[in-house]
Amino acid sequence: MSKTFSGEEIVKALRRIGYYVDHQRGSHIFMHNLEQNKSVIIPNHKELRKGTLNNILKKIGISIEELKDLT
């Protein structure tokens, strides 16, 4: 996992798979997917830490390779 992702890149990728921005509180973006009934919070930082990114991917159910394809 050599590539790092920003919060903005994650938001753009999730929009491609059906998530939408519900609201933002400070630097945290709340996204929802009505079809899968899932929600996730994305920190809008320049670079996400490895553990934070892994938790986001685990919650939405995609792999790092799938995320790279979406960006």
Side-chain angles (χ1 to χ4, degrees), residues 6-11 14 24 27-31 40-45 48 52 56 60:
S6 69
E8 190 175 316
E9 290 174 324
I10 302 294
V11 169
L14 292 183
Q24 182 171 346
S27 66
H28 290 81
I29 301 168
F30 293 71
M31 299 189 75
V40 66
I41 302 169
I42 310 295
N44 192 14
H45 300 155
L48 296 181
T52 304
I56 291 169
I60 61 175

Side-chain angles (χ1 to χ4, degrees), residues 12-70:
K12 286 180 184 178
L14 292 183
R15 282 185 174 162
R16 291 188 179 122
I17 58 172
Y19 282 81
Y20 70 94
V21 176
D22 182 40
H23 66 280
Q24 182 171 346
R25 184 177 298 160
S27 66
H28 290 81
I29 301 168
F30 293 71
M31 299 189 75
H32 296 287
N33 186 328
L34 294 177
E35 295 173 3
Q36 299 175 356
N37 199 19
K38 292 184 180 180
S39 63
V40 66
I41 302 169
I42 310 295
N44 192 14
H45 300 155
K46 289 183 181 178
E47 185 176 313
L48 296 181
R49 291 185 172 182
K50 183 179 179 181
T52 304
L53 179 60
N54 286 336
N55 285 336
I56 291 169
L57 296 177
K58 186 176 181 181
K59 194 167 193 178
I60 61 175
I62 65 171
S63 67
I64 190 70
E65 291 81 21
E66 291 171 322
L67 179 63
K68 286 179 183 178
D69 291 340
L70 290 171

